[in-house]
Amino acid sequence: MKHTFLLLLFSLFFSCKNNSIDQQKETEPVLGLITQKAMVVSARKEASAIGAAIMKKGGNAFDAMVATEMALAVAYPFAGSLGGGGFMVYRKADGETGALDYREKAPLAAYKDMYLDENGDPIPEKSQVGALAIGVPGTIAGIFAVHKRFGTLPIEEILSPVVDLANRGFAVTEKQRKRFENYKELFFEVNKDTILFAKNYKAGDTIKNIKLAATLKRIIKNGKEEFYTGETGKKLVEHIQSNGGIITLEDLSKYEAKWREPVRFNYKNLSVISMSPPSSGGVCLAQIMKMIEPYEISKYGHNQLKTIQVITEAERRAYADRSFYLGDPDFTKIPIDTLIGMPYLTDRMSDFNFEKATPSSEINCGMIPGYESDETTHYSIVDQFGNAISVTITLNGAYGSKLYAPEIGTFLNNEMDDFSAKPGVPNMFGLIGAQANAIAPEKRMLSSMTPTIVEKNDTFWMSVGTPGGSTIITSVLQTILNVEEFGMTMQEAVNAPRFHHQWLPDVVVFEPESFDPVLLDSLSQKGYKIDEETSKIIGKVDGILVLPNGTLEGGADKRGDDTAVGF
Ligand code: GLY
């Protein structure tokens, strides 16, 4: 009897599911921009256009990277700057892959307890706002490392359009106006004065950054040294120190971007290449995808109960491992092969069943530093020669430390907050940080940024990434699965509603009003704690997909002002 009832339910479920798939198939696919040869997808139209124009002139994806990154510093000061850092994963036309780490690092004078009060408790503002929160910036070292190894056009030709953009100005969008408005008071507070971005802008107003144009001109003339030992570096250090910071000229002069081996793993017939430590992105993505691989999620359906369960349980286990094991590989030994190996991951999922949620309190190991801020940005580029890159950059918080260097024309990061301020002791969310990510001089802080390239049948297939702090990894994951498992276009995959779990706090965060209440209720009944309040959006994914006919489809996230431009 019980079996007959279950069978009936099962067939009802399947006919409903098939109906919805059929209905989906009847509607026209939503396609992003399609181009024949080359494309840039980034958070701003101006940056995508400048990157695409560089390629149109004959430059390659790496030349375009330099231009796009600097154009974001002009038009997207929320996360683009000269005062931050990032990661790039690349795949050249000949199949060579690699990764560049231009993550910020702790100054020489940094020490483990620098953000603790006399009772030994963390003072979050110290690591989040103002000059003491700044890590030694890596951005300029990053673009010059890329240019030196792979660039084909002279730096002047690449950066001149960016200088022009800074002089000519960019138009404020409505989303941008709101953000400037939200942070105006904090800009005044931190800078003890007004700054370029603290004025009362309307959407459509033009912002010119003449000081940034002049800085870029000096960088064109004097190269990377201008920022790390030259006039710009000296001005920067003076400004940081006069505001209570500890970065010295020695810190700047010692900064080096580092070429790293990316994390590579297979998921069915895909080969995924993603960022290695000091980002947790590639390792966590590998762990989650390998834990999901044995389950037939395409049969369960997109954002359906069993799919959400499997993904959530894999995420719970990967994030539990994240901060315990991961940190700067130059300071901490990381057992990457074990962590992403099938024996370990099979064992990790062995206590999962579909009947009920595994409470995070029962998952051992791993200690994570809570929700990270999400004010990062990502861009993907593919060129006409077949090179592909995936770059995620950050100031950490929105406009970083909020400290603006007016003479240079850029905000400075608050990346020091990505360290565990107090390893081994629960933070304000009841979370525990880890020794692997403790502060030490010249150490790079753990990141979640997950710039990723995917190959299918040994050829380049997708470049993808997103901002979103700890939700970066799970947003990249869902975007890849949306295309591979659920047959979406790149644009549909980027648009689709997202959810996120990170072990602690033990809640599944959903984008509000995007998921069926009946589905959420079913998850609750199985013991999952649902949160539709914390995050209005999860990630702002940008990606490029190679279609079967060889053309490129851009996916520019509708959640932001993101735009694909190409030819
Ligand atoms: N600051 C955000 C990240 O690196 O993940």
Side-chain angles (χ1 to χ4, degrees):
M1 180 63 190
K2 194 173 163 203
H3 274 114
T4 323
F5 179 67
L6 280 178
L7 212 64
L8 186 69
L9 269 184
F10 188 71
S11 43
L12 257 175
F13 168 72
F14 242 87
S15 68
C16 290
K17 194 172 148 247
N18 286 340
N19 278 346
S20 76
I21 287 172
D22 289 347
Q23 276 161 14
Q24 266 174 24
K25 277 188 184 148
E26 276 162 25
T27 60
E28 286 296 308
V30 178
L31 282 165
L33 177 75
I34 306 282
T35 66
Q36 303 298 316
K37 294 181 176 163
M39 190 182 290
V40 182
V41 190
S42 82
R44 285 290 301 211
K45 181 176 70 192
E46 296 84 348
S48 299
I50 281 181
I54 290 292
M55 295 191 288
K56 189 102 195 191
K57 278 177 106 172
N60 64 17
F62 302 99
D63 296 319
M65 177 270 183
V66 174
T68 306
E69 177 112 0
M70 288 298 98
L72 286 168
V74 176
Y76 196 62
F78 187 66
S81 81
L82 275 57
F87 298 114
M88 176 184 82
V89 171
Y90 68 86
R91 182 186 188 281
K92 287 174 62 188
D94 62 7
E96 177 194 319
T97 57
L100 181 68
D101 161 6
Y102 54 105
R103 179 75 164 161
E104 301 89 329
K105 63 179 193 175
L108 287 158
Y111 56 97
K112 193 165 155 245
D113 297 341
M114 64 186 280
Y115 298 117
L116 305 184
D117 65 15
E118 62 279 7
N119 301 319
D121 296 322
I123 313 168
E125 311 81 64
K126 272 181 109 172
S127 61
Q128 287 171 7
V129 184
L132 203 57
I134 305 169
V136 184
T139 304
I140 298 299
I143 60 167
F144 275 92
V146 170
H147 187 255
K148 188 171 174 198
R149 188 171 279 200
F150 297 123
T152 57
L153 298 180
I155 206 84
E156 180 165 13
E157 201 171 335
I158 296 171
L159 288 184
S160 290
V162 186
V163 173
D164 292 345
L165 174 68
N167 278 325
R168 194 176 64 240
F170 64 91
V172 175
T173 67
E174 178 52 23
K175 289 187 174 106
Q176 204 167 28
R177 181 200 68 73
K178 280 192 191 141
R179 288 195 296 262
F180 288 147
E181 183 64 34
N182 288 344
Y183 286 96
K184 203 160 70 181
E185 268 181 37
L186 204 48
F187 290 160
F188 275 115
E189 208 177 293
V190 173
N191 293 282
K192 300 173 202 90
D193 200 352
T194 190
I195 58 165
L196 181 63
F197 300 103
K199 311 227 165 83
N200 288 325
Y201 291 111
K202 299 187 299 300
D205 283 354
T206 298
I207 300 184
K208 299 177 184 181
N209 194 337
I210 309 298
K211 290 288 186 185
L212 182 51
T215 304
L216 288 170
K217 272 184 157 172
R218 292 195 303 275
I219 289 173
I220 291 172
K221 185 161 169 249
N222 302 322
K224 169 189 144 190
E225 285 67 32
E226 171 62 31
F227 189 86
Y228 290 98
T229 55
E231 181 190 333
T232 303
K234 287 180 188 135
K235 279 185 183 165
L236 188 63
V237 167
E238 204 181 288
H239 188 65
I240 292 173
Q241 291 186 356
S242 67
N243 280 280
I246 55 172
I247 291 179
T248 61
L249 211 49
E250 189 184 1
D251 282 311
L252 287 187
S253 64
K254 287 186 84 174
Y255 186 89
E256 296 278 350
K258 294 189 176 187
W259 294 97
R260 305 225 185 243
E261 257 319 293
V263 172
R264 184 188 265 273
F265 63 95
N266 293 328
Y267 175 85
K268 300 186 177 171
N269 65 341
L270 304 181
S271 182
V272 182
I273 303 133
S274 192
M275 194 62 216
S276 44
S279 182
S280 60
V283 172
C284 280
L285 184 66
Q287 286 194 303
I288 298 168
M289 291 189 85
K290 299 302 285 179
M291 282 189 266
I292 291 172
E293 195 173 21
Y295 297 88
E296 295 185 294
I297 59 167
S298 61
K299 292 216 175 112
Y300 307 155
H302 175 248
N303 281 350
Q304 297 299 312
L305 183 66
K306 286 176 86 173
T307 303
I308 294 176
Q309 280 190 270
V310 170
I311 292 176
T312 297
E313 295 299 343
E315 288 173 355
R316 186 195 309 280
R317 286 156 176 81
Y319 276 82
D321 282 351
R322 177 187 182 274
S323 287
F324 182 79
Y325 291 111
L326 304 186
D328 183 340
D330 299 334
F331 285 71
T332 307
K333 200 165 157 36
I334 305 171
I336 294 184
D337 291 343
T338 305
L339 285 172
I340 68 172
M342 237 20 235
Y344 176 74
L345 295 171
T346 306
D347 186 53
R348 207 81 176 103
M349 280 296 266
S350 62
D351 55 353
F352 161 64
N353 71 65
F354 284 104
E355 294 310 309
K356 70 175 186 63
T358 313
S360 286
S361 56
E362 286 177 15
I363 299 289
N364 262 325
C365 212
M367 306 160 189
I368 62 157
Y371 287 104
E372 291 161 18
S373 53
D374 54 5
E375 289 79 7
T376 296
T377 190
H378 174 83
Y379 56 93
S380 285
I381 305 181
V382 175
D383 70 21
Q384 64 276 34
F385 310 110
N387 303 303
I389 66 171
S390 179
V391 185
T392 312
I393 57 174
T394 188
L395 279 168
N396 196 21
Y399 311 101
S401 61
K402 289 29 166 198
L403 187 69
Y404 186 71
E407 285 304 305
I408 296 163
T410 196
F411 281 105
L412 299 160
N413 70 80
N414 61 344
E415 218 67 61
M416 290 298 284
D417 196 56
D418 268 349
F419 280 116
S420 302
K422 192 174 184 188
V425 171
N427 68 7
M428 60 199 265
F429 304 106
L431 301 174
I432 301 169
Q435 202 59 42
N437 192 33
I439 302 171
E442 299 207 83
K443 188 174 176 183
R444 279 145 147 99
M445 53 296 282
L446 186 64
S447 171
S448 295
M449 293 192 283
T450 315
T452 298
I453 301 257
V454 189
E455 296 172 349
K456 192 172 210 168
N457 304 323
D458 297 328
T459 57
F460 167 68
W461 184 61
M462 183 191 287
S463 165
V464 66
T466 180
S470 54
T471 69
I472 289 175
I473 300 161
T474 57
S475 297
V476 168
L477 164 82
Q478 288 168 78
T479 308
I480 298 171
L481 295 178
N482 286 348
V483 179
E484 174 61 11
E485 296 283 9
F486 305 114
M488 294 186 200
T489 67
M490 190 74 227
Q491 190 61 54
E492 288 167 341
V494 161
N495 290 351
R498 292 189 275 265
F499 62 95
H500 170 76
H501 187 69
Q502 60 172 49
W503 183 52
L504 290 173
D506 191 356
V507 289
V508 194
V509 182
F510 291 86
E511 288 186 303
E513 290 160 35
S514 309
F515 288 79
D516 182 354
V518 177
L519 169 78
L520 298 183
D521 189 51
S522 307
L523 282 162
S524 291
Q525 285 178 29
K526 288 183 181 290
Y528 294 94
K529 293 182 200 81
I530 308 299
D531 173 358
E532 282 190 287
E533 314 271 304
T534 298
S535 192
K536 279 212 293 274
I537 61 165
I538 298 179
K540 262 188 259 166
V541 179
D542 286 336
I544 302 174
L545 179 73
V546 180
L547 300 180
N549 65 0
T551 57
L552 305 172
E553 187 204 346
D557 205 317
K558 60 175 186 178
R559 295 163 181 82
D561 294 318
D562 305 46
T563 311
V565 178
F567 56 90

